[in-house]
Amino acid sequence: MAMVCPRFVIPSRWTVARDCVDLYRFEKENLKSLLNKSSQRICLTTDTWTSIQKINYMCLTAHFIDTNWKLQKRIINFCPITSHKGETISLAIENCLRDRGMLLSIILEER
């Protein structure tokens, strides 16, 4: 970067980490307010998989119709889980929704 733009100052790793956390918190609050004010019903989908390192992950996505009648899709959680069982997935969903101040009922069917 010194050759391309000598005035460019590379931020420290602490600055980058702080900025990432600040951006995460900002976007989390934006999503929370968007879901609270623009949608009556939210449909949740989960996707789970196991990485090469044998770590289980879950992604929780919210689908809803906004005030302009446009379908919206937002990832509201991405986390490691201990197994792919329904009970483990439901606890991860419950923790995520509790963290975001969302209240709803969930029915999971294990196949």
Side-chain angles (χ1 to χ4, degrees):
M1 286 308 298
M3 304 248 337
V4 175
C5 183
R7 296 180 308 191
F8 180 74
V9 178
I10 297 175
S12 72
R13 64 186 175 107
W14 299 107
T15 302
V16 173
R18 184 190 64 235
D19 290 349
C20 288
V21 170
D22 290 345
L23 181 61
Y24 167 78
R25 288 183 182 142
F26 176 77
E27 290 298 329
K28 183 178 173 182
E29 285 303 314
N30 279 349
L31 179 60
K32 189 175 183 178
S33 67
L34 174 68
L35 290 174
N36 285 335
K37 71 179 177 182
S38 71
S39 58
Q40 295 289 324
R41 299 184 187 268
I42 300 168
C43 185
L44 299 173
T45 58
T46 61
D47 187 18
T48 58
W49 65 95
T50 304
S51 70
I52 294 172
Q53 296 85 9
K54 305 279 191 232
I55 300 171
N56 300 316
Y57 290 100
M58 181 189 79
C59 181
L60 180 63
T61 307
H63 306 268
F64 59 96
I65 307 241
D66 66 9
T67 54
N68 296 322
W69 288 92
K70 292 193 178 181
L71 180 61
Q72 301 289 323
K73 178 172 80 168
R74 299 285 191 279
I75 294 175
I76 61 173
N77 197 18
F78 182 89
C79 63
I81 55 175
T82 56
S83 73
H84 293 277
K85 293 183 179 179
E87 185 177 335
T88 304
I89 293 170
S90 67
L91 288 174
I93 293 170
E94 180 183 357
N95 291 337
C96 171
L97 297 179
R98 211 176 257 153
D99 182 47
R100 281 156 181 73
M102 299 168 71
L103 177 65
L104 54 117
S105 62
I106 300 172
I107 299 172
L108 285 178
E109 181 180 318
E110 194 168 341
R111 295 179 188 196

